[in-house]
Amino acid sequence: MRLGSMTESAYIRNQRIDKKCSTRTISSMLVTELLICAAFVLLLIENALQEQVSDYFSYIDEIACLLFCSAAFIKQLSGRRNDALTQYEKGVLLATVVLCCVGLLGNVIYSVQPELEAVAIDLLTCTKFSLVYVSLCVVFSDKRFVRLYDACLNVGKLFVVIAFIFMLLNQFLDVGMSIEERFGIKAFMFVFGHPSNFAASIVGVFALLLRDAKQNKLYLAACVVILLSTMRFKAIAFVAVMMLAMLAFRRVKRLTFTFLLVAAILSVGVASYQLDIYLNGDTARGALLTNSVRVANEAFPLGSGFGSYGSDVTKDAYTELYYQLGFNTIYGLTESNPIYLADMFYSTVLAQFGWLGFLVFLFIPVLFVFDVSAAARRNEVFFWAVMSIPIYLLITSTTEPSFFSSYSVYLAFCVVAVARLPKTNHCNDLKCVPNDKTN
């Protein structure tokens, strides 16, 4: 009888300890999730804050990158099994490290960019997408993040509703949220600095919503209308490809050659007018593309290094190389008016990292696509919800520096959230490790 009383007492005591531990864990997770959700909100509206408040907000993505990397490093030190990187993620990290070595060697050998600060800034710009993607794969492996996805989703829904209302007002009343008209339609950019940045913010929310397409169909329809209203050919091409995926390849769980071929033809057809402008050697973007081959050949095989060609930092740290190439005489590429200087992507990769670095870089998006595809199958997530962001990044990479852009960190956050975070709150996921049994 006494033994039974002691067992019952010990059981009650252990239950109380479990309850306290669980409450403590829930509280700490709530704080962590709130902080990460706040980071999501800031990344979502980063360009709007930069445009409407201060240029200092342009550093949000870089600061977020450093914080996510630090959090992942601390988690990796714990050595828990579920924090281990997949082979694809290790490949992304390795390719990024090799790319850094190639770029820095180019800086040392050719000294095109003499300002070390510009080199450091561009190094972070060119690697932040890969670093954030791999870091968040580690951070979001914690199964206790049960509220974070729903919190980000609700923020996204509110953002879409507000943007949709102002989009209608802008079309009919002109509230000053557009920069131009195309085919009689005002190119909507909301409170952002450019329609392209705004379109990227909508794409991230679109991916979050697409995870449960049936439940979120009205919000998804609003996203499609908003993307079309930006009048960006890349956004229109993205909508066309996603419609193709949803209608003709809905049950597919991996990319097929047929889809890639049809999607490529569709994208080129939609954006052919814009691509013709970019590939024309007489335009600023055409000059960037043709001269990148020249730089890669002359600096074979390493390229001219970080912060030397076509990167955003060279707008302020204008290099002597640009004068040698005659950019100082091309509209949009001059030192006093460099508005198109950082508008290309593959030309920047080719010139700065050479043919060797260009080949190394190609592994990053390929391994990235393989990893998110595998994560979708492993976690039973709708395939096209995960693939929507890689599709958008690849489409936009033909006309802008998508993987190096300020919104790349935001999109990396969204794709990892869609692929890895749990959708609903399950109380069982919050339990602490059980105490030893009392006999």
Side-chain angles (χ1 to χ4, degrees):
M1 187 73 179
R2 182 176 178 80
L3 180 61
S5 299
M6 288 178 63
T7 302
E8 183 178 356
S9 175
Y11 173 78
I12 294 172
R13 184 173 66 254
N14 285 341
Q15 288 292 97
R16 288 174 179 172
I17 292 172
D18 279 345
K19 186 174 181 181
K20 289 179 180 178
C21 181
S22 180
T23 303
R24 195 181 306 117
T25 303
I26 293 171
S27 299
S28 64
M29 290 308 298
L30 277 173
V31 173
T32 305
E33 286 173 319
L34 282 172
L35 290 174
I36 297 177
C37 187
F40 168 77
V41 174
L42 290 173
L43 289 169
L44 172 67
I45 60 173
E46 176 185 3
N47 184 256
L49 291 172
Q50 179 186 351
E51 181 69 17
Q52 303 296 332
V53 183
S54 171
D55 284 339
Y56 287 112
F57 285 102
S58 63
Y59 296 107
I60 288 175
D61 55 309
E62 282 87 0
I63 294 172
C65 173
L66 296 175
L67 291 175
F68 291 145
C69 288
S70 300
F73 180 73
I74 292 170
K75 282 204 72 178
Q76 283 289 294
L77 290 179
S78 68
R80 283 181 288 185
R81 189 175 180 181
N82 64 332
D83 294 339
L85 297 175
T86 66
Q87 293 301 314
Y88 294 132
E89 290 155 10
K90 290 177 181 177
V92 169
L93 207 54
L94 177 61
T96 303
V97 171
V98 173
L99 192 71
C100 288
C101 293
V102 171
L104 290 173
L105 277 173
N107 285 113
V108 171
I109 294 172
Y110 299 105
S111 301
V112 174
Q113 179 53 265
E115 297 184 24
L116 293 180
E117 183 181 356
V119 172
I121 291 172
D122 195 46
L123 189 150
L124 182 58
T125 298
C126 295
T127 59
K128 62 187 176 183
F129 174 82
S130 300
L131 294 177
V132 169
Y133 174 74
V134 174
S135 296
L136 288 179
C137 286
V138 174
V139 174
F140 289 173
S141 64
D142 195 325
K143 300 302 181 185
R144 294 175 298 174
F145 283 126
V146 293
R147 301 172 182 82
L148 182 56
Y149 176 82
D150 290 332
C152 293
L153 181 63
N154 289 331
V155 169
K157 287 180 177 179
L158 179 61
F159 179 74
V160 168
V161 170
I162 295 172
F164 186 79
I165 292 171
F166 277 97
M167 183 270 295
L168 294 177
L169 288 173
N170 187 70
Q171 288 299 324
F172 298 106
L173 301 178
D174 192 5
V175 292
M177 294 183 174
S178 56
I179 58 172
E180 62 182 355
E181 281 193 17
R182 290 185 177 180
F183 309 108
I185 300 174
K186 297 182 180 69
F188 184 56
M189 62 179 184
F190 198 24
V191 290
F192 287 66
H194 194 275
S196 294
N197 298 94
F198 174 57
S201 70
I202 293 294
V203 168
V205 177
F206 180 88
L208 295 173
L209 293 165
L210 196 57
R211 186 166 168 177
D212 193 344
K214 186 175 181 180
Q215 183 177 346
N216 299 317
K217 57 185 178 182
L218 291 179
Y219 292 101
L220 287 168
C223 285
V224 169
V225 174
I226 293 170
L227 285 171
L228 295 176
S229 73
T230 64
M231 297 307 295
R232 300 298 101 179
F233 287 102
K234 50 215 167 202
I236 297 170
F238 169 75
V239 170
V241 171
M242 290 308 299
M243 292 301 102
L244 170 70
M246 296 290 290
L247 296 175
F249 298 89
R250 185 177 180 84
R251 298 187 182 279
V252 168
K253 292 188 177 180
R254 63 181 72 239
L255 290 177
T256 63
F257 176 76
T258 303
F259 171 78
L260 291 174
L261 179 62
V262 176
I265 294 172
L266 186 61
S267 299
V268 171
V270 171
S272 58
Y273 172 76
Q274 198 74 11
L275 288 173
D276 182 62
I277 295 175
Y278 290 170
L279 297 177
N280 186 342
D282 295 330
T283 64
R285 296 179 178 93
L288 283 169
L289 183 60
T290 55
N291 281 283
S292 66
V293 178
R294 175 184 169 185
V295 173
N297 289 337
E298 292 182 359
F300 183 85
L302 300 175
S304 55
F306 287 104
S308 61
Y309 187 97
S311 53
D312 192 65
V313 72
T314 60
K315 290 180 179 180
D316 296 318
Y318 203 81
T319 64
E320 185 64 31
L321 176 63
Y322 289 155
Y323 286 99
Q324 295 175 13
L325 296 173
F327 285 3
N328 58 307
T329 63
I330 301 174
Y331 177 79
L333 301 182
T334 63
E335 187 171 8
S336 58
N337 182 32
I339 55 173
Y340 300 132
L341 196 54
D343 271 14
M344 295 295 284
F345 177 63
Y346 293 108
S347 60
T348 301
V349 176
L350 181 58
Q352 292 200 156
F353 309 117
W355 292 106
L356 175 61
F358 185 80
L359 292 175
V360 171
F361 177 83
L362 291 180
F363 281 98
I364 295 177
V366 171
L367 293 170
F368 166 58
V369 169
F370 282 155
D371 193 53
V372 295
S373 299
R377 292 191 295 273
R378 185 169 59 248
N379 299 321
E380 299 181 343
V381 177
F382 182 42
F383 179 72
W384 294 114
V386 172
M387 283 307 303
S388 58
I389 287 176
I391 287 171
Y392 183 75
L393 286 169
L394 290 172
I395 289 174
T396 54
S397 68
T398 60
T399 58
E400 64 184 62
S402 56
F403 288 91
F404 299 164
S405 65
S406 59
Y407 61 71
S408 65
V409 172
Y410 162 71
L411 291 181
F413 182 107
C414 291
V415 73
V416 180
V418 171
R420 294 174 180 271
L421 288 179
K423 233 172 79 170
T424 53
N425 185 3
H426 300 288
C427 294
N428 291 335
D429 292 335
L430 298 174
K431 290 182 179 178
C432 300
V433 178
N435 297 310
D436 295 334
K437 292 181 181 179
T438 307
N439 297 321

PDB file of all heavy atoms in Angstrom, residues 362-376:
ATOM      1  N   LEU A 362      26.231  27.349 -61.429  1.00  0.00           N
ATOM      2  CA  LEU A 362      25.098  26.619 -61.982  1.00  0.00           C
ATOM      3  C   LEU A 362      24.670  25.455 -61.093  1.00  0.00           C
ATOM      4  O   LEU A 362      23.503  25.036 -61.116  1.00  0.00           O
ATOM      5  CB  LEU A 362      25.416  26.113 -63.393  1.00  0.00           C
ATOM      6  CG  LEU A 362      25.554  27.188 -64.475  1.00  0.00           C
ATOM      7  CD1 LEU A 362      25.880  26.543 -65.813  1.00  0.00           C
ATOM      8  CD2 LEU A 362      24.289  28.040 -64.587  1.00  0.00           C
ATOM      9  N   PHE A 363      25.618  24.928 -60.299  1.00  0.00           N
ATOM     10  CA  PHE A 363      25.262  23.852 -59.381  1.00  0.00           C
ATOM     11  C   PHE A 363      24.298  24.323 -58.294  1.00  0.00           C
ATOM     12  O   PHE A 363      23.496  23.536 -57.786  1.00  0.00           O
ATOM     13  CB  PHE A 363      26.525  23.280 -58.717  1.00  0.00           C
ATOM     14  CG  PHE A 363      27.287  22.322 -59.585  1.00  0.00           C
ATOM     15  CD1 PHE A 363      28.385  22.755 -60.312  1.00  0.00           C
ATOM     16  CD2 PHE A 363      26.898  20.997 -59.683  1.00  0.00           C
ATOM     17  CE1 PHE A 363      29.090  21.877 -61.123  1.00  0.00           C
ATOM     18  CE2 PHE A 363      27.589  20.109 -60.490  1.00  0.00           C
ATOM     19  CZ  PHE A 363      28.692  20.547 -61.210  1.00  0.00           C
ATOM     20  N   ILE A 364      24.381  25.603 -57.910  1.00  0.00           N
ATOM     21  CA  ILE A 364      23.568  26.107 -56.797  1.00  0.00           C
ATOM     22  C   ILE A 364      22.068  26.030 -57.096  1.00  0.00           C
ATOM     23  O   ILE A 364      21.318  25.423 -56.316  1.00  0.00           O
ATOM     24  CB  ILE A 364      24.004  27.530 -56.401  1.00  0.00           C
ATOM     25  CG1 ILE A 364      25.438  27.497 -55.853  1.00  0.00           C
ATOM     26  CG2 ILE A 364      23.047  28.138 -55.372  1.00  0.00           C
ATOM     27  CD1 ILE A 364      26.014  28.858 -55.502  1.00  0.00           C
ATOM     28  N   PRO A 365      21.553  26.631 -58.193  1.00  0.00           N
ATOM     29  CA  PRO A 365      20.121  26.501 -58.459  1.00  0.00           C
ATOM     30  C   PRO A 365      19.675  25.065 -58.741  1.00  0.00           C
ATOM     31  O   PRO A 365      18.561  24.679 -58.365  1.00  0.00           O
ATOM     32  CB  PRO A 365      19.897  27.404 -59.680  1.00  0.00           C
ATOM     33  CG  PRO A 365      21.232  27.613 -60.284  1.00  0.00           C
ATOM     34  CD  PRO A 365      22.212  27.524 -59.171  1.00  0.00           C
ATOM     35  N   VAL A 366      20.549  24.263 -59.363  1.00  0.00           N
ATOM     36  CA  VAL A 366      20.191  22.868 -59.642  1.00  0.00           C
ATOM     37  C   VAL A 366      20.030  22.090 -58.334  1.00  0.00           C
ATOM     38  O   VAL A 366      19.019  21.392 -58.124  1.00  0.00           O
ATOM     39  CB  VAL A 366      21.251  22.203 -60.543  1.00  0.00           C
ATOM     40  CG1 VAL A 366      21.006  20.698 -60.644  1.00  0.00           C
ATOM     41  CG2 VAL A 366      21.233  22.821 -61.934  1.00  0.00           C
ATOM     42  N   LEU A 367      21.000  22.198 -57.442  1.00  0.00           N
ATOM     43  CA  LEU A 367      20.924  21.513 -56.150  1.00  0.00           C
ATOM     44  C   LEU A 367      19.787  22.061 -55.297  1.00  0.00           C
ATOM     45  O   LEU A 367      19.123  21.309 -54.567  1.00  0.00           O
ATOM     46  CB  LEU A 367      22.256  21.662 -55.400  1.00  0.00           C
ATOM     47  CG  LEU A 367      23.450  20.937 -56.028  1.00  0.00           C
ATOM     48  CD1 LEU A 367      24.746  21.368 -55.333  1.00  0.00           C
ATOM     49  CD2 LEU A 367      23.278  19.433 -55.942  1.00  0.00           C
ATOM     50  N   PHE A 368      19.544  23.355 -55.397  1.00  0.00           N
ATOM     51  CA  PHE A 368      18.429  23.996 -54.693  1.00  0.00           C
ATOM     52  C   PHE A 368      17.090  23.390 -55.129  1.00  0.00           C
ATOM     53  O   PHE A 368      16.254  23.035 -54.292  1.00  0.00           O
ATOM     54  CB  PHE A 368      18.474  25.504 -54.967  1.00  0.00           C
ATOM     55  CG  PHE A 368      17.240  26.266 -54.610  1.00  0.00           C
ATOM     56  CD1 PHE A 368      16.743  26.262 -53.326  1.00  0.00           C
ATOM     57  CD2 PHE A 368      16.567  27.021 -55.574  1.00  0.00           C
ATOM     58  CE1 PHE A 368      15.601  26.982 -52.992  1.00  0.00           C
ATOM     59  CE2 PHE A 368      15.438  27.737 -55.262  1.00  0.00           C
ATOM     60  CZ  PHE A 368      14.948  27.718 -53.964  1.00  0.00           C
ATOM     61  N   VAL A 369      16.902  23.241 -56.427  1.00  0.00           N
ATOM     62  CA  VAL A 369      15.661  22.649 -56.950  1.00  0.00           C
ATOM     63  C   VAL A 369      15.520  21.202 -56.508  1.00  0.00           C
ATOM     64  O   VAL A 369      14.443  20.765 -56.079  1.00  0.00           O
ATOM     65  CB  VAL A 369      15.626  22.754 -58.487  1.00  0.00           C
ATOM     66  CG1 VAL A 369      14.482  21.906 -59.055  1.00  0.00           C
ATOM     67  CG2 VAL A 369      15.449  24.207 -58.920  1.00  0.00           C
ATOM     68  N   PHE A 370      16.601  20.433 -56.580  1.00  0.00           N
ATOM     69  CA  PHE A 370      16.558  19.036 -56.133  1.00  0.00           C
ATOM     70  C   PHE A 370      16.185  18.943 -54.653  1.00  0.00           C
ATOM     71  O   PHE A 370      15.410  18.074 -54.240  1.00  0.00           O
ATOM     72  CB  PHE A 370      17.909  18.356 -56.367  1.00  0.00           C
ATOM     73  CG  PHE A 370      18.148  17.959 -57.795  1.00  0.00           C
ATOM     74  CD1 PHE A 370      19.438  17.829 -58.282  1.00  0.00           C
ATOM     75  CD2 PHE A 370      17.096  17.720 -58.660  1.00  0.00           C
ATOM     76  CE1 PHE A 370      19.678  17.467 -59.597  1.00  0.00           C
ATOM     77  CE2 PHE A 370      17.310  17.368 -59.980  1.00  0.00           C
ATOM     78  CZ  PHE A 370      18.601  17.228 -60.450  1.00  0.00           C
ATOM     79  N   ASP A 371      16.744  19.853 -53.849  1.00  0.00           N
ATOM     80  CA  ASP A 371      16.512  19.792 -52.403  1.00  0.00           C
ATOM     81  C   ASP A 371      15.068  20.131 -52.043  1.00  0.00           C
ATOM     82  O   ASP A 371      14.445  19.436 -51.226  1.00  0.00           O
ATOM     83  CB  ASP A 371      17.470  20.735 -51.680  1.00  0.00           C
ATOM     84  CG  ASP A 371      17.489  20.490 -50.177  1.00  0.00           C
ATOM     85  OD1 ASP A 371      17.705  19.327 -49.780  1.00  0.00           O
ATOM     86  OD2 ASP A 371      17.291  21.443 -49.406  1.00  0.00           O
ATOM     87  N   VAL A 372      14.528  21.192 -52.633  1.00  0.00           N
ATOM     88  CA  VAL A 372      13.150  21.552 -52.295  1.00  0.00           C
ATOM     89  C   VAL A 372      12.165  20.499 -52.825  1.00  0.00           C
ATOM     90  O   VAL A 372      11.129  20.241 -52.204  1.00  0.00           O
ATOM     91  CB  VAL A 372      12.775  22.956 -52.827  1.00  0.00           C
ATOM     92  CG1 VAL A 372      13.614  24.019 -52.146  1.00  0.00           C
ATOM     93  CG2 VAL A 372      12.893  23.056 -54.324  1.00  0.00           C
ATOM     94  N   SER A 373      12.495  19.873 -53.955  1.00  0.00           N
ATOM     95  CA  SER A 373      11.648  18.805 -54.483  1.00  0.00           C
ATOM     96  C   SER A 373      11.631  17.617 -53.529  1.00  0.00           C
ATOM     97  O   SER A 373      10.570  17.049 -53.237  1.00  0.00           O
ATOM     98  CB  SER A 373      12.152  18.354 -55.860  1.00  0.00           C
ATOM     99  OG  SER A 373      12.129  19.405 -56.789  1.00  0.00           O
ATOM    100  N   ALA A 374      12.811  17.244 -53.043  1.00  0.00           N
ATOM    101  CA  ALA A 374      12.904  16.134 -52.098  1.00  0.00           C
ATOM    102  C   ALA A 374      12.181  16.454 -50.794  1.00  0.00           C
ATOM    103  O   ALA A 374      11.499  15.597 -50.217  1.00  0.00           O
ATOM    104  CB  ALA A 374      14.376  15.813 -51.827  1.00  0.00           C
ATOM    105  N   ALA A 375      12.311  17.709 -50.329  1.00  0.00           N
ATOM    106  CA  ALA A 375      11.631  18.123 -49.093  1.00  0.00           C
ATOM    107  C   ALA A 375      10.122  18.068 -49.251  1.00  0.00           C
ATOM    108  O   ALA A 375       9.395  17.677 -48.326  1.00  0.00           O
ATOM    109  CB  ALA A 375      12.071  19.534 -48.698  1.00  0.00           C
ATOM    110  N   ALA A 376       9.625  18.451 -50.426  1.00  0.00           N
ATOM    111  CA  ALA A 376       8.181  18.407 -50.690  1.00  0.00           C
ATOM    112  C   ALA A 376       7.658  16.973 -50.624  1.00  0.00           C
ATOM    113  O   ALA A 376       6.610  16.709 -50.028  1.00  0.00           O
ATOM    114  CB  ALA A 376       7.880  19.021 -52.059  1.00  0.00           C
TER     115      ALA A 376
END
